[in-house]
Amino acid sequence: LVVPVAPAVGRRRVICSGVSKRNRKRVTAKNTGGAVGRTASRKADVDMPQRLFVTNIHYEATEDDMMPAFRAIGPVVKFEIIRDSFSGQSKGWGFVTFTEPIHATVALDSLQGYRVKGRPIRLDEATSLAKKRKEAKVKAAYEKREAKRRQGTTTSSS
C-alpha cells in the first residue's frame, strides 16, 4: 500500500513514488498506521529489525500455532521456539525472522499482546547483548555529560 501524495507539490521535487523530498522523513510506519509502501523512504534498513524476539509463548504452543499470525503480516523466513535441550519442552520464548524489515516493524506494532493458546505474546527487537550494553554505555556517558553541563550552568548563574 503506497501513501498517496500529489505527484507535484509546488516547486518541490517528488521522490520515490509520491513522497516529496521534504516529506520523506515524515512517512513512517508509526505515523501512517503501518500502511507504508515499499518505495516510501524510511529509516535505514540497518536500524530496522528483520528479526524479532517473541516471549510469553505458551509452553504447549508449536511453531505451527504461531506461524499464521506472523504470515498474515508478511513472508516469514524462519520461526524458532527455543526448547530445553534435555526435556525438549518449550522455554516460552523464540525468534521470528521476516524477509523485509517493514514486515517486522508492522508485526512489532500490531501483534503486541496477540493471544496464542490463551497467552498474550510480547514482541521486541532481537538485539545482541553486546549491542544493548554499548547503547547503555553511550546513554550513561551522555547523561553524565548533561549532568556536568547542568551543574556548570547553575554555578555560573549564581
Side-chain angles (χ1 to χ4, degrees), residues 81-96:
I81 293 178
I82 306 303
R83 301 187 178 281
D84 183 54
S85 58
F86 295 111
S87 67
Q89 183 183 12
S90 167
K91 289 189 174 186
W93 53 277
F95 297 94
V96 61

Side-chain angles (χ1 to χ4, degrees), residues 14-36:
V14 176
I15 299 176
C16 63
S17 84
V19 179
S20 70
K21 187 174 183 179
R22 182 176 179 190
N23 291 330
R24 184 189 310 185
K25 291 181 182 176
R26 295 181 188 163
V27 178
T28 63
K30 184 176 181 181
N31 65 13
T32 60
V36 176

Side-chain angles (χ1 to χ4, degrees), residues 62-89:
T62 64
E63 284 84 352
D64 295 332
D65 295 331
M66 304 293 289
M67 286 298 278
F70 292 102
R71 282 201 180 123
I73 303 286
V76 174
V77 175
K78 182 180 178 184
F79 188 90
E80 176 184 20
I81 293 178
I82 306 303
R83 301 187 178 281
D84 183 54
S85 58
F86 295 111
S87 67
Q89 183 183 12

Side-chain angles (χ1 to χ4, degrees), residues 27-73:
V27 178
T28 63
K30 184 176 181 181
N31 65 13
T32 60
V36 176
R38 296 180 80 190
T39 56
S41 182
R42 301 194 63 236
K43 293 197 292 185
D45 285 349
V46 177
D47 295 341
M48 294 172 37
Q50 260 185 297
R51 192 168 188 224
L52 297 177
F53 174 66
V54 185
T55 186
N56 202 31
I57 300 173
H58 193 280
Y59 293 105
E60 295 176 4
T62 64
E63 284 84 352
D64 295 332
D65 295 331
M66 304 293 289
M67 286 298 278
F70 292 102
R71 282 201 180 123
I73 303 286

